[in-house]
Amino acid sequence: MSRVVINLVPRVRANRTESLDWSGAASARRLLMPARETEAIILKTFPLGEADRLVSFLGRSSGRVRGVASGARRLKNRYGSTLEVLSHVQLWYVEKETRDLVRIQQAELLESFHKAQSDYGLSTGLAVISEVSELVLPEHEVSEPMFRLILMAVREIERTGDWALPLSYFAFWTVRLGGWLPRFDRCAGCDSPFGAQPAFYGVQQSGLFCGKCRRPGMQVLHHEARVLAERFTSERLDRIAPDPAMQGSAKELREASLAWIEFHIERRLPTRELLETA
């Protein structure tokens, strides 16, 4: 659960005291407002008014929350690079029962992914992770597994300079954590085992089908891709060495997983189109 901090001033480092430039009776009342603290991942930001930003973040102890970062769009602001998409931060915010949006008071950068964020090709992979996370995570519902999954995938994109395998892993595990993963060993239509034969999936169905039950327009998921899925279930992403031989299987598994995500959230993922241009 979120920790309650009544007085924020002692927690602020000396070189950041200018970020809390408050004075007078009104400022004193703000300081007395209970503030919550959480480790967080920035999911998305949107312009709000002339100087503010609307920030969607996944808090480790708060779940997905939306808040306002006042003055974040000004050239000189106290947030700096802490609000970049998928940055790993420590956030302090105030929440009122009568308001849907929280007020972000302070953000401290814990981990930057500057290489991935500043490279167009890598940023397309980050964009998919950001969009999927924003759409599948309910508001205010704590999800430690998804928090760790996002952080692991982004770290690997930053470390390896490639989004292909991390994004496949992320998409597969998102489907699994959502409870949407179909059986990989038997046909959803006739219940016959696939064995080493290819399976097929479609955008309007959530299962895998054999060659006899496949319908027009379905895509293939070969045996090698299903074997890779088994590796994903038992191995951490950062312990799977990238191998050119698995690129095709990783792509098949990624496309199938993203299709199942779209099926269950009942909408298209615009960021999927960006992957083709990267």
Side-chain angles (χ1 to χ4, degrees), residues 90-201:
Q90 195 78 10
L91 282 182
W92 288 263
Y93 64 93
V94 171
E95 187 173 22
K96 291 186 177 180
E97 293 183 359
T98 56
R99 296 184 179 178
D100 294 331
L101 300 176
V102 304
R103 176 185 290 274
I104 298 173
Q105 292 190 321
Q106 184 181 329
E108 177 182 337
L109 188 63
L110 299 178
E111 199 170 358
S112 173
F113 304 106
H114 178 71
K115 181 175 72 174
Q117 291 165 339
S118 59
D119 179 272
Y120 173 77
L122 298 181
S123 68
T124 58
L126 300 186
V128 177
I129 293 175
S130 167
E131 183 181 31
V132 169
S133 302
E134 175 77 7
L135 292 174
V136 304
L137 290 167
E139 287 191 8
H140 302 288
E141 185 173 307
V142 176
S143 180
E144 174 69 17
M146 275 299 293
F147 188 96
R148 289 188 282 107
L149 174 63
I150 296 169
L151 203 54
M152 183 189 302
V154 177
R155 282 171 175 164
E156 281 301 287
I157 293 175
E158 177 78 7
R159 184 183 71 84
T160 64
D162 187 12
W163 52 255
L165 186 63
L167 186 54
S168 298
Y169 189 95
F170 168 81
F172 172 80
W173 266 99
T174 297
V175 173
R176 190 176 188 198
L177 291 172
W180 305 328
L181 195 66
R183 292 194 63 170
F184 269 45
D185 61 339
R186 291 182 175 275
C187 174
C190 66
D191 201 40
S192 60
F194 294 127
Q197 298 300 311
F200 301 89
Y201 68 92

